[in-house]
């Protein structure tokens, strides 16, 4: 259900700007059930005197094309002056009412003719930056209400086919939207006038033939799906308000345009730089005094000077920080020693950076973060030169010339350790997977013992087992064999000794091997079926690290039923508490343990070897809040679970992380850090965050606010300083500094926003707010903020004359509605009937730590079309994406959906038998396995290329994913429906077209 905005009217107009996109969506003249009172007679088309004629288009097209060529591309380097020039007035692509139909006969209509009686007319008008002008006047009929019952012709279809959910008219063709420079050629489509309702075709779940050599976990239909009287409903691709989804701004097209624009180009990251490439675009980034957007990415690269102007825009000001981000190819991170590096500001503690201003011939420098002057020690003094007053040694010092650099500290602490905690309770011993687990641990440790000088080969390893007690192992060299020490008092845990609990891997691998071989043969002394709390091994491992004064990774292999300490039933956690505030909140004991882990640098990684039913306490709070992760497996018996377990185990141990991390955010003295969002425990100050560990994917969001007006000549500086310890124990400080320009014109701020960055910021903000606030309130707030932002842009930044029926979108935010709609209807904010609480909790934590690229791909997955046969001319191309909607799926095709947490292979019902045989080793569609599957290893070009593509995509993700094969018409098809974000989702989320329509109507309402 769409929520109505109730904000007040925006203040007076400011200067206008013409670089924008405008969409016009018409409201019915007399709808049967008006969802938005007061808009019955909304004029949604251009007035007749403002509509361009087709003849004018032909006369003005060359001029328009020249404007596009001159000014549509982005600067690769900052222009000479700080002020960007305004773009020429935009031109209009208008699709008007059919009441006065005088358009060219060859102009194809873009609205689909429905089978209902003609009741209303709708208009779509698009104003694009430097686009040619064209007028098309089709007719359209539609009758529907927003929240009322769906008409019979618009009833959702059953699960057999996505393609059947969208009907086409064979007498109509559509004109797709133009790209940034040239108009696309018309692309036709066909409409079937048959009813949307179609019979249910249940595909029989048969076992694969004997020659199938792949591995599969069959998808088990739910009780709802098994009921013959209940049919799962597929989402509608058609808008209930008559908008053609194919004509709306496309994420796929925006990403493709950005890749073409930055192909073989170098982005120059310098002071007051222009808008960087999208996070999904790979290009070379050269550091010339500004941090790479891989490390710091601002929500807007031009901040408003006045705080009132920032509030007027209703869009957030902030930055996304990935402190340990991998540097661009060919651009290594410069490192300087602590003794040689210039000291930073002695007043606020900011590190030296190019944003510091030198005075008195280099004897003092001005700090933009506190506004104070600091003296330069005589040992570090160098004179300045030039008009800008830069030091003569600027090019030889990374702290003076680079936006990102690292300081190697003189103090070296203890190296990080590796602790292994294995559950040996009765549940674990009965599970039968302890032998496999210990074998994989031993194989991993053996591979780490190598002579290549790697820091992991010198790691210290410790072992412990647990049931209701703690079992420690003394691996001291003075003993002939390892000794077991049993601790029964677990409430007040005291270690009986320290020596021998952590031993070097290179010298004591045989002792560790002997213990691992004995673990599967233990006899359990505890037969408590209520389970073992996961906090028990955390406390034991933390006590060992505290006794040895070192950070480390704690790997817990748990099999017993899940429960919280102090609870006696397996249905503990938020189900057992009396007054739960939110299902997302951790317990007080978990928070206490997390704080101790953060201070010690203990990263917890929990492997649940036997996945529990819904109702138990979710054990993921401690792992995710300490920089670790939660890995769950069904029963670790099949090849698929065992393969994922091995991959997860190796990735966890070999992942390079920073321990005992402390992140400080500095911002110019006229601004402040108002909030910070991410996967960490909030501290007393939002500008200072402490973490037990973090890796190169960990991303945090900081929100900024004005204290006073900004100086337009100085700009705004943001600095992120991360202090952390490496695996070897070295203490390092990584510094990232970003300098942005500021402007008094609101349109300059809007044109420097990017949709992917705003999506990531909103995601982290909303996912952190679910700890305290209702989900419905958050969804409404998210829609209200975007609506008010579009209304502000429409009123203060649109120079073209537009009617109330035209939706105005900034150029780089034209796909923001589809991203925001996907966020609103995500499983975390809008749970479905079949989404478990544990899945929502884990998805929230996984998404919170993602960077911009992974977040945007998560909320708009990549849909790739696979060829039916492979030769030298048609191998799978990972760069050719399709729109995430049902109309992209053909019954004769194979499609791969790729997201950071999901990998789906959709198989159409009319795929040739030869293709199925080459890919799945079976030529019958009905015998094709569905569910979690591993493709068979077949030596043919199609199988090799598809498996190579899957391997390539999996290498770009942070976690190991399951490959799900989804057959057309299968009960597993709902899994794919959740990721077709442009359609209506199974959990009730609106489609992209309907959400865009409501954004427009609500934004217009705010201005009246």
């Amino acid at each position: 259900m769409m929520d109505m905005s109730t904000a007040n009217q925006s203040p007076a107009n400011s200067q206008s700007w013409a670089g924008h996109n405008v969409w016009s969506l018409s409201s019915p003249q007399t709808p049967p059930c008006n969802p938005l009172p007061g808009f019955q007679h909304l004029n949604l088309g251009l007035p007749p005197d403002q509509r361009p004629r087709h003849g004018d288009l032909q006369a003005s097209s060359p001029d328009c094309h020249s404007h596009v060529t001159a000014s549509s591309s982005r600067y690769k380097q900052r222009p000479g002056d700080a002020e960007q020039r305004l773009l020429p007035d935009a031109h209009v692509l208008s699709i008007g009412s059919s009441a006065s139909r005088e358009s060219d006969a060859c102009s194809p209509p873009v609205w689909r003719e429905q089978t209902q009686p003609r009741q209303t007319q709708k208009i779509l008008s698009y104003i694009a930056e430097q686009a040619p002008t064209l007028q098309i006047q089709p007719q359209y009929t539609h009758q529907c209400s927003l929240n009322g019952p769906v008409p019979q012709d618009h009833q959702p279809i059953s699960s057999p086919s996505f393609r059947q959910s969208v009907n086409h008219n064979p007498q109509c063709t559509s004109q797709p939207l133009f790209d940034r420079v040239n108009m696309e050629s018309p692309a036709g489509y066909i409409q079937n006038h048959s009813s949307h309702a179609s019979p249910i075709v249940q595909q029989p779940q048969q076992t694969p033939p004997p020659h199938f050599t792949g591995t599969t976990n069959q998808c088990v239909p739910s009780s709802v799906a098994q009921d013959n009287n209940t049919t799962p409903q597929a989402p509608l691709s058609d808008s209930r308000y008559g908008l053609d989804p194919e004509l709306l701004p496309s994420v796929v097209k925006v990403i493709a345009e950005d890749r073409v624009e930055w192909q073989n180009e170098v982005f120059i990251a310098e002071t007051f730089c222009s808008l960087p490439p999208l996070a999904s675009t790979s290009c070379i980034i050269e550091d010339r005094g500004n941090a790479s957007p891989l490390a710091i990415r601002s929500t807007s690269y031009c901040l408003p000077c006045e705080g009132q102007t920032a509030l007027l825009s209703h869009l957030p000001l902030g930055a996304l920080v990935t402190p340990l981000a991998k540097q661009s190819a060919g651009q290594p991170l410069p490192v300087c020693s602590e003794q040689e590096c210039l000291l930073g500001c002695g007043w606020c503690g900011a590190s030296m950076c190019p944003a510091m201003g030198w005075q008195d011939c280099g004897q003092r420098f001005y700090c933009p973060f506190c506004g104070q002057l600091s003296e330069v020690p005589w040992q570090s003094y160098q004179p300045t030169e030039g008009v800008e007053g830069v030091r003569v040694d600027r090019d030889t010092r990374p702290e003076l010339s680079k936006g990102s650099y690292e300081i190697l500290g003189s103090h070296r602490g203890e190296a990080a350790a590796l602790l292994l905690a294995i559950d040996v309770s009765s549940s674990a011993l009965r599970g039968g997977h302890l032998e496999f687990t210990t074998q994989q641990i031993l194989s991993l440790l053996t591979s780490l013992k190598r002579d290549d000088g790697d820091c992991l080969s010198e790691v210290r390893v410790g072992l412990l087992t647990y049931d209701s007690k703690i079992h420690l192992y003394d691996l001291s060299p003075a003993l002939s064999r390892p000794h077991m020490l049993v601790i029964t008092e677990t409430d007040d845990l005291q270690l009986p000794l320290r020596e021998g609990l952590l031993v070097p891997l290179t010298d004591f691998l045989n002792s560790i091997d002997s213990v691992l071989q004995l673990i599967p043969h233990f006899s359990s002394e505890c037969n408590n079926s209520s389970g073992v709390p996961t906090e028990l091994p955390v406390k034991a491992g933390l006590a060992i690290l505290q006794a040895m004064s070192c950070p480390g990774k704690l790997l817990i292999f748990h099999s017993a039923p899940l429960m919280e300490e102090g609870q006696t039933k397996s249905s503990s956690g938020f189900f057992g508490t009396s007054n739960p505030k939110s299902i997302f909140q951790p317990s007080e004991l978990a928070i206490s343990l997390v704080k101790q882990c953060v201070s010690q640098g203990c990263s917890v990684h929990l492997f649940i070897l036997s996945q529990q039913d819904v109702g138990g306490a979710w054990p993921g709070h401690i792992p995710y809040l300490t920089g670790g992760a939660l890995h769950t497996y069904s029963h670790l018996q099949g090849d698929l679970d065992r393969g994922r377990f091995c991959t997860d185990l190796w990735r966890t141990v070999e992942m390079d992380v920073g321990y005992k991390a402390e992140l400080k955010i500095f911002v110019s003295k006229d601004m402040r850090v108002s909030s910070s969002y991410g996967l960490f425990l909030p501290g007393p100050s939002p500008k200072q965050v402490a973490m037990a560990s973090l890796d190169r994917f960990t991303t945090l969001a900081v929100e900024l606010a004005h204290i006073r007006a900004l100086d337009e000549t100085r700009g705004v500086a943001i600095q992120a300083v991360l202090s952390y310890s490496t695996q070897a124990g070295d203490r390092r400080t990584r510094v990232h500094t970003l300098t942005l320009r500021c402007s008094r014109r609101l349109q300059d701020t809007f044109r420097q926003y990017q949709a992917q960055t705003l999506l990531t910021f909103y995601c982290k903000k909303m996912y952190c707010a679910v700890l305290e606030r209702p989900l419905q309130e958050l969804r409404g707030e998210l829609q209200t903020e975007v609506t008010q932002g579009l209304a502000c842009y429409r009123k203060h930044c649109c120079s073209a004359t537009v009617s109330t029926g035209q939706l105005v979108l900034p150029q780089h935010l034209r796909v923001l509605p589809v991203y925001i709609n996907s966020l609103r209807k995500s499983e975390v904010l809008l749970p479905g009937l079949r989404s478990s609480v544990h899945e929502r909790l884990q998805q929230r934590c996984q998404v919170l730590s993602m960077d911009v690229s992974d977040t945007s791909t998560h909320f708009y997955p990549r849909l790739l079309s696979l060829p039916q046969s492979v030769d030298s001319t048609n191998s799978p191309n990972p760069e050719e994406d399709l729109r995430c909607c049902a109309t992209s799926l053909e019954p004769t095709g194979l499609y791969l959906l790729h997201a950071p947490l999901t990998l789906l292979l959709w198989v159409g019902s009319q795929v040739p038998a030869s293709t199925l045989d080459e890919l799945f080793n079976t030529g019958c569609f009905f015998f094709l396995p569905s569910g979690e599957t591993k493709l068979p290893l077949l030596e043919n070009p199609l199988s090799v290329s598809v498996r190579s593509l899957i391997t390539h995509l999996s290498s770009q993700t942070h976690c190991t994913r399951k490959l799900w094969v989804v057959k057309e018409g299968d009960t597993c098809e709902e899994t794919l429906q959740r990721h077709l974000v442009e359609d209506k989702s199974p959990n009730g989320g609106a489609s992209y077209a309907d959400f865009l329509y409501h954004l427009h109507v609500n934004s217009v309402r705010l201005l009246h």
Side-chain angles (χ1 to χ4, degrees):
M1 178 183 298
M2 295 296 173
D3 300 320
M4 294 298 300
S5 302
T6 58
N8 295 327
Q9 183 175 345
S10 301
N13 290 312
S14 61
Q15 288 178 284
S16 59
W17 172 65
H20 54 264
N21 292 345
V22 179
W23 289 79
S24 174
L25 305 102
S26 175
S27 166
Q29 297 294 332
T30 56
C33 178
N34 185 19
L36 300 173
F39 281 87
Q40 300 96 322
H41 306 288
L42 180 65
N43 182 13
L44 299 176
L46 287 174
D49 57 343
Q50 295 182 10
R51 293 175 183 170
R53 294 188 300 271
H54 183 66
D56 297 337
L57 167 67
Q58 296 177 348
S60 61
S61 291
D63 296 336
C64 299
H65 187 275
S66 63
H67 284 309
V68 175
T69 307
S71 56
S72 64
S73 62
R74 212 177 307 154
Y75 287 112
K76 302 301 182 290
Q77 300 186 31
R78 180 178 62 87
D81 53 346
E83 182 174 336
Q84 298 185 8
R85 50 196 176 84
L86 298 180
L87 300 172
D89 289 340
H91 301 271
V92 180
L93 174 65
S94 175
I95 302 174
S97 173
S98 60
S100 57
R101 196 164 192 153
E102 299 177 356
S103 60
D104 195 342
C106 65
S107 300
V110 298
W111 293 101
R112 304 177 182 177
E113 292 188 1
Q114 305 291 336
T115 57
Q116 298 104 328
R118 184 177 307 168
Q119 296 288 343
T120 59
Q121 295 176 345
K122 299 213 183 325
I123 314 162
L124 175 65
S125 178
Y126 178 63
I127 296 181
E129 194 172 351
Q130 298 105 8
T133 306
L134 181 62
Q135 179 178 353
I136 306 174
Q137 298 173 331
Q139 64 180 6
Y140 170 76
T141 61
H142 185 69
Q143 179 176 354
C144 188
S145 63
L146 172 62
N147 302 319
V150 183
Q152 182 177 1
D153 289 345
H154 286 267
Q155 288 292 338
I157 65 163
S158 306
S159 59
S161 173
F162 282 102
R163 190 63 182 174
Q164 295 174 2
S165 64
V166 181
N167 293 345
H168 303 291
N169 190 338
Q171 299 177 356
C172 298
T173 57
S174 68
Q175 179 85 26
L177 296 181
F178 45 82
D179 56 21
R180 192 172 296 180
V181 179
N182 297 324
M183 200 69 163
E184 293 179 350
S185 59
Y189 60 87
I190 300 175
Q191 178 172 359
N192 185 1
H193 286 277
S194 61
S195 173
H196 281 274
S198 59
I200 302 173
V201 183
Q202 292 290 348
Q203 302 295 346
Q205 298 293 334
Q206 304 184 28
T207 57
H211 57 272
F212 180 82
T213 59
T215 308
T216 177
N217 286 349
Q218 291 292 338
C219 177
V220 181
S222 65
S223 59
V224 178
Q226 290 176 345
D227 189 356
N228 294 331
N229 299 326
T230 305
T231 60
Q233 295 181 342
L236 286 174
S237 295
D238 285 329
S239 168
R240 62 172 61 183
Y241 303 107
L243 302 183
D244 189 349
E246 295 297 328
L247 299 180
L248 304 183
S250 170
V251 173
V252 172
K253 190 173 183 180
V254 170
I255 293 177
E257 289 175 351
D258 196 72
R259 287 174 178 170
V260 172
E261 181 177 349
W262 290 99
Q263 186 178 10
N264 301 325
E265 297 288 347
V266 178
F267 175 72
I268 306 299
E270 57 184 355
T271 305
F272 301 150
C273 64
S274 59
L275 202 63
L278 295 177
S280 55
T281 300
S282 298
C283 74
I284 301 176
I285 300 173
E286 184 176 344
D287 186 349
R288 292 189 184 177
N290 240 15
S292 166
L294 299 176
I296 300 184
R297 187 177 288 266
S298 177
T299 55
S300 176
Y301 277 73
C302 179
L303 273 61
C305 292
E306 301 289 340
Q308 291 298 327
T309 306
L311 295 176
L312 179 65
S313 68
H314 295 284
L315 293 181
L317 297 179
L320 299 170
V321 183
T322 311
L324 294 182
K326 187 178 180 181
Q327 297 297 305
S328 178
Q331 298 290 328
L333 186 69
V335 179
C336 60
S337 63
E338 187 177 10
Q339 296 83 0
E340 299 176 356
C341 184
L342 290 176
L343 295 178
C345 179
W347 299 90
C348 65
S351 299
M352 181 59 64
C353 63
M356 302 291 186
W358 297 93
Q359 299 181 5
D360 298 338
C361 297
Q363 297 183 33
R364 298 188 298 174
F365 65 88
Y366 171 82
C367 176
F369 306 107
C370 63
Q372 301 292 333
L373 293 175
S374 298
E375 299 288 341
V376 178
W378 64 269
Q379 299 91 339
S380 305
Y381 170 76
Q382 287 290 337
T384 58
E385 62 179 0
V387 179
E388 297 181 356
V390 298
R391 286 179 42 132
V392 295
D393 60 345
R394 178 180 184 273
D395 295 334
T396 61
R397 288 185 174 272
E399 66 269 27
L400 298 179
S401 59
K402 300 295 183 181
S404 298
Y405 68 97
E406 195 165 61
I407 305 173
L408 179 60
S410 57
H411 173 71
R412 180 165 186 157
E414 292 289 336
L418 178 63
L419 276 176
L420 306 171
I422 304 175
D423 180 9
V424 292
S425 63
S426 58
S427 301
L429 296 175
R430 289 194 304 264
H433 46 253
L434 276 181
E435 184 176 359
F436 172 77
T437 303
T438 54
Q439 288 177 356
Q440 294 304 316
I441 293 175
L442 179 60
S443 175
L444 172 65
L445 297 179
T446 303
S447 66
L448 295 180
K449 183 183 176 182
R450 48 182 180 256
D451 299 329
D452 56 357
D454 188 85
C455 60
L456 287 177
S457 61
E458 303 293 335
V459 67
R460 292 182 296 171
V461 180
L463 283 177
L464 66 94
T465 56
Y466 65 95
D467 43 23
S468 61
K469 308 178 185 65
I470 297 295
H471 314 138
L472 303 180
Y473 296 91
D474 185 1
L475 305 175
S476 156
L479 302 175
S480 58
R481 60 180 182 178
H483 286 185
M484 176 191 288
L485 306 172
V486 181
I487 303 178
T488 58
E489 295 294 333
T490 58
D491 293 335
D492 186 15
L493 198 147
Q494 298 291 333
L495 297 180
L497 53 85
R498 296 183 181 181
E499 298 296 332
L501 297 180
L502 293 178
V503 293
L505 176 62
T506 54
D507 301 329
F508 295 91
L509 183 59
N510 293 333
S511 300
I512 298 173
D513 183 14
S514 62
V515 176
L516 291 176
Q517 291 182 3
L518 291 175
I519 289 178
H521 305 287
F522 282 5
S523 59
S524 176
E525 300 178 0
C526 174
N527 195 21
N528 188 1
S529 60
S530 62
V532 178
T534 55
E535 292 85 357
L536 187 60
V538 174
K539 294 198 306 185
L542 184 60
I544 295 176
L545 294 179
Q546 289 174 343
M548 304 303 294
S549 301
C550 67
K553 294 180 182 178
L554 174 59
L555 276 59
I556 303 175
F557 304 91
H558 191 85
S559 303
L562 298 174
M563 63 172 290
E564 287 181 346
E565 195 168 274
Q567 300 288 341
T568 59
K569 297 181 180 180
S570 60
S571 60
S572 59
F574 52 85
F575 292 107
T577 55
S578 58
N579 296 313
K581 291 184 179 180
S582 170
I583 63 173
F584 299 100
Q585 289 182 342
S587 63
E588 294 182 1
L589 177 60
I591 294 178
S592 176
L593 288 175
V594 167
K595 291 180 179 179
Q596 297 180 55
C597 290
V598 169
S599 62
Q600 188 59 37
C602 176
S603 175
V604 180
H605 298 261
L606 182 57
F607 295 81
I608 303 297
L609 306 182
S610 181
Q611 188 171 352
Q612 309 298 314
D613 296 331
V614 175
W618 188 65
H621 292 296
I622 296 178
Y624 284 112
L625 289 176
T626 58
L630 172 66
H631 308 278
T632 58
Y633 312 93
S634 298
H635 295 287
L636 210 63
Q637 297 295 336
D639 294 338
L640 295 176
D641 278 345
R642 292 191 171 191
R644 287 197 302 114
F645 172 78
C646 296
T647 305
D648 290 335
L649 181 60
W650 283 68
R651 282 188 175 184
T652 299
V653 175
E654 294 189 339
M655 174 66 70
D656 189 16
V657 301
Y659 301 93
K660 301 181 70 172
E662 183 179 358
L663 179 66
K664 295 181 180 180
I665 304 295
F666 299 91
V667 67
S668 295
K669 63 183 181 64
D670 297 327
M671 301 195 73
R672 62 182 178 89
V673 178
S674 59
S675 302
S676 55
Y677 312 103
L679 206 56
F680 56 86
L681 282 181
S685 174
K687 64 180 182 180
Q688 187 169 345
V689 176
M691 294 171 284
S693 68
L694 76 165
D695 55 33
R696 62 186 180 92
F697 299 98
T698 306
T699 303
L700 300 85
V702 292
E703 189 168 11
L704 307 178
H706 285 73
I707 298 178
R708 59 185 68 88
L710 300 174
D711 187 354
E712 196 169 2
T713 60
R714 290 185 178 272
V716 176
I718 305 173
Q719 185 178 88
V721 180
L722 176 72
S723 299
Y724 69 100
S725 297
T726 63
Q727 175 69 38
D730 297 330
R731 194 66 185 174
R732 293 175 176 247
T733 301
R734 185 168 295 192
V735 182
H736 302 290
T737 307
L738 179 66
T739 306
L740 307 171
R741 68 185 184 91
C742 54
S743 174
R744 299 187 181 278
R745 296 177 300 184
L746 185 59
Q747 57 266 36
D748 290 341
T749 301
F750 270 104
R751 71 183 301 180
Q752 295 297 313
Y753 278 103
Q754 282 183 333
Q756 291 182 353
T757 309
L758 276 181
L759 166 70
T760 308
F761 184 90
Y762 277 129
C763 172
K764 295 185 184 300
K765 182 178 181 179
M766 294 297 158
Y767 278 19
C768 287
V770 297
L771 296 174
E772 299 291 344
R773 301 173 58 188
L775 301 182
Q776 184 177 1
E777 180 182 332
L778 294 177
R779 295 195 303 269
E781 177 183 324
L782 184 61
Q783 180 179 347
T784 300
E785 286 191 18
V786 178
T787 303
Q788 291 174 341
L790 295 181
C792 173
Y793 181 80
R794 178 189 188 91
K795 181 175 183 179
H796 299 282
C797 305
C798 181
S799 62
T801 302
V802 294
S803 67
T804 57
Q806 294 175 323
L807 171 63
V808 185
L809 296 173
Q811 172 67 14
H812 299 298
L813 296 182
R814 60 187 185 274
V815 295
L816 181 62
V818 65
Y819 279 137
I820 296 300
N821 186 43
S822 180
L823 173 60
R824 287 182 71 256
K825 63 182 182 179
S826 62
E827 292 292 330
V828 177
L829 298 181
L830 186 63
L833 295 177
R834 300 185 184 181
S835 58
S836 68
V837 175
H838 285 193
E839 291 175 348
R840 294 173 59 207
L841 289 168
Q842 183 157 0
Q843 185 180 123
R844 170 190 174 269
C845 292
Q846 289 175 321
V847 176
L848 260 179
S849 61
M850 288 182 181
D851 57 10
V852 181
S853 178
D854 285 348
T855 303
S856 59
T857 308
H858 173 77
F859 287 103
Y860 197 96
R862 300 182 58 190
L863 186 62
L864 306 174
S865 177
L866 302 180
Q868 297 182 359
S869 62
V870 173
D871 51 30
S872 58
T873 60
N874 66 338
S875 58
N877 188 356
E879 302 296 333
E880 296 181 359
D881 298 359
L882 302 176
R883 300 186 69 158
C884 284
C885 56
T887 56
S888 300
L889 304 178
E890 297 285 349
T892 58
L894 294 168
Y895 301 90
L896 188 67
L897 187 138
H898 160 70
L901 305 178
T902 309
L903 188 63
L904 301 176
L905 179 57
W906 189 82
V907 184
S909 59
Q910 302 178 20
V911 175
S914 59
T915 301
L916 297 178
D917 187 62
E918 291 182 6
L919 191 58
F920 300 101
N921 203 22
T922 177
C924 181
F925 177 78
F926 296 102
F927 286 106
L928 184 66
S930 61
E932 185 183 356
T933 306
K934 180 180 180 181
L935 294 179
L937 302 178
L938 303 177
E939 295 299 329
N940 60 75
L942 179 61
S943 177
V944 172
S945 61
V946 171
R947 286 186 283 110
S948 176
L949 175 61
I950 292 176
T951 303
H952 170 70
L953 295 176
S954 298
S955 64
Q956 302 175 357
T957 60
H958 183 35
C959 62
T960 306
R961 302 170 299 173
K962 304 176 183 179
L963 173 62
W964 283 78
V965 172
V966 179
K967 296 164 54 178
E968 181 182 6
D970 194 81
T971 53
C972 294
E973 204 169 38
E974 183 179 334
T975 307
L976 179 65
Q977 295 177 17
R978 299 179 194 149
H979 296 85
L980 298 180
V981 297
E982 293 197 18
D983 298 335
K984 183 178 179 180
S985 59
N987 60 357
S991 66
Y992 169 34
D994 292 345
F995 181 72
L996 183 63
Y997 175 86
H998 277 266
L999 283 184
H1000 162 68
V1001 174
N1002 290 344
S1003 63
V1004 172
R1005 185 175 187 175
L1006 292 178
L1007 302 179
H1008 289 77

